[in-house]
Amino acid sequence: MPKVIDHELRRRQVVDALLRLTAERGLDEVSVAKVAAAAGVSVGLVQHYFANKDEMLLLAFHTIDERFDERLRAWLETAGGAPEDVPVRSLVREVLLQLMPLDQERADEVRVWLAFCARSVGTPQLAKVYETAMLRRVEQMSDAVRRGQEAGEIPAGLDPSAEALQLLAFAEGLAQQALLASGHIAAELVVDAVDVQLGRVFLSSVTGENA
Amino acid sequence: MPKVIDHELRRRQVVDALLRLTAERGLDEVSVAKVAAAAGVSVGLVQHYFANKDEMLLLAFHTIDERFDERLRAWLETAGGAPEDVPVRSLVREVLLQLMPLDQERADEVRVWLAFCARSVGTPQLAKVYETAMLRRVEQMSDAVRRGQEAGEIPAGLDPSAEALQLLAFAEGLAQQALLASGHIAAELVVDAVDVQLGRVFLSSVTGENA
């Protein structure tokens, strides 16, 4: 067992260093050698995880996705257990808030996400990964909207996949603006904006979160 | 006069080459030498406009902003003259559609915008430019919302600057997703999404564009 623990620990050290450096300086300034130095491990070990910038970004991107899932699972556990056991509006709200740069971890994630998006332009392999991740989110969000309609929280007439795209487009743009214009978009404004958007999809009479 | 014409013509050649290369390959692959070759001018002339990548991006960013303004002015001229002379909903719709990657020119612009956003992380000088550009757009959009309220097109109770932020966040995210997942988000879907969002801010009884 000790070897497995070492492996997991080292992997986490490398990934953490990669995310931190990419978030702080942008991917342009990040190299295998710098990640190794920041993680306190050998260059050879870092190369075990990735050989070049595209592989760095892929690992960073997948890690962000994992962290997002972990945070959502943790929230679900305290909120009621399974997605079916919480009001759909609460779940969707939590999904959107987890995508916002509301603390250091999430701000770093938005930075890395942005680096990934920018590099995807002209790198079909990365664009494919973005597209897959986005479609997965759209599908999950469509399911949530459908459940919201069954529960009477969302008007039956709305198209679930159109609503999902709408909510996720809004979240992606808001996260980016909140990150880059953080001097003018306070955390409170971000949360308000999320609630306003939710109030336009969900029937306010059900949860009453918004007028 | 001939000198002035040459200058403008050459400037445009350089800027066009810069935008095209940045959009095609991402900024990582763009250099002063490559822009010179693509524009068919000397390296010295290109260096007259910018000395490094950050200056390239600044010029590209300002050019995008100018083009956006030009397209909006052209649309206004055919639509009725001044912003005051067209329904606010039509104007806001046109603003949002001009930000979407619905043709080659606008798709290139979204690519450059994305490169700019990604590089702004960790480059305070660029982040400042992004923030200034975004605040200008939020202000213009707030004015439009206010005029929409005066004209009875938008409910009086809404907060103009919150609505402006909402609309622009949505537009930024949608443009990005439409660009990067263009295989799954067709132009028609993008226009529909814009109209759905407008239908949630504007009183549908006035223009009737959406149910």
Side-chain angles (χ1 to χ4, degrees):
Chain A
M1 286 304 282
K3 268 198 170 164
V4 174
I5 291 167
D6 275 350
H7 174 74
E8 243 326 294
L9 181 71
R10 279 184 173 165
R11 183 185 177 278
R12 187 159 278 275
Q13 275 176 291
V14 171
V15 169
D16 284 351
L18 169 62
L19 288 180
R20 207 167 54 242
L21 285 177
T22 304
E24 275 169 17
R25 309 184 195 177
L27 193 75
D28 282 1
E29 305 293 322
V30 178
S31 64
V32 169
K34 282 180 185 164
V35 173
V41 300
S42 72
V43 167
L45 183 79
V46 173
Q47 282 168 333
H48 176 68
Y49 294 109
F50 44 77
N52 56 42
K53 292 204 171 179
D54 285 346
E55 289 183 17
M56 280 187 202
L57 259 185
L58 274 175
L59 184 60
F61 191 78
H62 286 308
T63 305
I64 284 177
D65 233 28
E66 273 170 30
R67 280 193 187 178
F68 171 80
D69 285 348
E70 273 168 30
R71 289 198 302 266
L72 207 61
R73 258 198 306 276
W75 177 83
L76 271 172
E77 268 169 34
T78 60
E84 306 83 65
D85 301 330
V86 297
V88 177
R89 181 175 179 145
S90 307
L91 177 65
V92 171
R93 185 173 192 266
E94 187 62 22
V95 167
L96 298 189
L97 292 180
Q98 286 301 344
L99 296 172
M100 298 300 131
L102 293 173
D103 56 24
Q104 187 66 44
E105 176 170 309
R106 282 174 282 172
D108 284 355
E109 290 178 4
V110 177
R111 289 190 184 96
V112 174
W113 177 272
L114 204 48
F116 191 89
C117 288
R119 203 171 164 95
S120 292
V121 172
T123 312
Q125 188 207 3
L126 296 184
K128 187 85 203 135
V129 173
Y130 173 91
E131 192 154 2
T132 305
M134 220 206 70
L135 288 177
R136 192 175 70 101
R137 285 190 182 169
V138 169
E139 265 172 43
Q140 288 172 338
M141 190 59 94
S142 301
D143 283 346
V145 171
R146 236 172 261 117
R147 280 191 291 111
Q149 290 176 315
E150 284 160 17
E153 292 184 55
I154 296 176
L158 298 182
D159 173 25
S161 65
E163 290 306 318
L165 185 67
Q166 198 90 4
L167 284 164
L168 290 166
F170 165 71
E172 188 150 343
L174 183 62
Q176 197 163 305
Q177 295 189 343
L179 179 78
L180 291 175
S182 57
H184 287 85
I185 306 181
E188 206 184 82
L189 262 181
V190 172
V191 178
D192 282 353
V194 166
D195 283 330
V196 166
Q197 187 69 20
L198 290 177
R200 286 174 175 157
V201 177
F202 288 81
L203 294 161
S204 56
S205 56
V206 175
T207 63
E209 212 169 288
N210 267 294
Chain B
M1 288 303 283
K3 269 198 170 165
V4 174
I5 291 167
D6 276 353
H7 175 73
E8 243 327 293
L9 181 71
R10 279 183 172 168
R11 183 184 177 279
R12 188 160 278 272
Q13 275 176 292
V14 171
V15 169
D16 283 350
L18 169 63
L19 287 180
R20 207 166 55 243
L21 285 178
T22 304
E24 275 169 18
R25 309 184 196 178
L27 193 75
D28 283 0
E29 306 292 322
V30 178
S31 64
V32 168
K34 283 179 184 164
V35 173
V41 301
S42 72
V43 167
L45 182 80
V46 173
Q47 282 168 334
H48 177 68
Y49 294 108
F50 45 75
N52 57 41
K53 291 204 172 181
D54 285 347
E55 288 183 18
M56 280 187 201
L57 260 185
L58 275 174
L59 183 60
F61 191 78
H62 286 308
T63 306
I64 285 176
D65 233 29
E66 273 171 31
R67 280 192 186 177
F68 171 81
D69 285 347
E70 272 168 32
R71 288 198 303 266
L72 207 60
R73 257 197 308 274
W75 177 83
L76 271 171
E77 267 169 35
T78 60
E84 307 81 66
D85 301 330
V86 296
V88 178
R89 181 176 180 143
S90 308
L91 176 65
V92 172
R93 185 172 191 267
E94 186 63 22
V95 167
L96 297 189
L97 292 180
Q98 287 300 344
L99 295 172
M100 299 299 132
L102 293 174
D103 56 26
Q104 187 66 44
E105 176 169 311
R106 283 175 282 172
D108 284 355
E109 290 177 4
V110 177
R111 288 191 185 97
V112 174
W113 177 270
L114 204 47
F116 191 89
C117 288
R119 204 171 163 95
S120 293
V121 172
T123 312
Q125 188 207 2
L126 296 183
K128 187 85 204 137
V129 173
Y130 173 91
E131 194 155 1
T132 304
M134 222 207 68
L135 288 178
R136 191 174 72 101
R137 284 190 182 169
V138 170
E139 265 172 42
Q140 288 172 337
M141 190 60 92
S142 302
D143 283 347
V145 171
R146 235 172 264 117
R147 279 191 291 113
Q149 291 175 316
E150 284 161 19
E153 291 185 55
I154 296 176
L158 298 181
D159 173 24
S161 64
E163 290 307 318
L165 185 67
Q166 198 89 5
L167 284 163
L168 290 168
F170 165 71
E172 186 150 346
L174 183 64
Q176 197 163 305
Q177 295 190 343
L179 179 78
L180 291 175
S182 57
H184 286 85
I185 306 181
E188 204 184 84
L189 262 180
V190 172
V191 178
D192 282 352
V194 165
D195 282 330
V196 166
Q197 188 69 21
L198 291 176
R200 288 179 173 153
V201 178
F202 287 81
L203 293 162
S204 55
S205 57
V206 174
T207 63
E209 211 170 290
N210 267 293

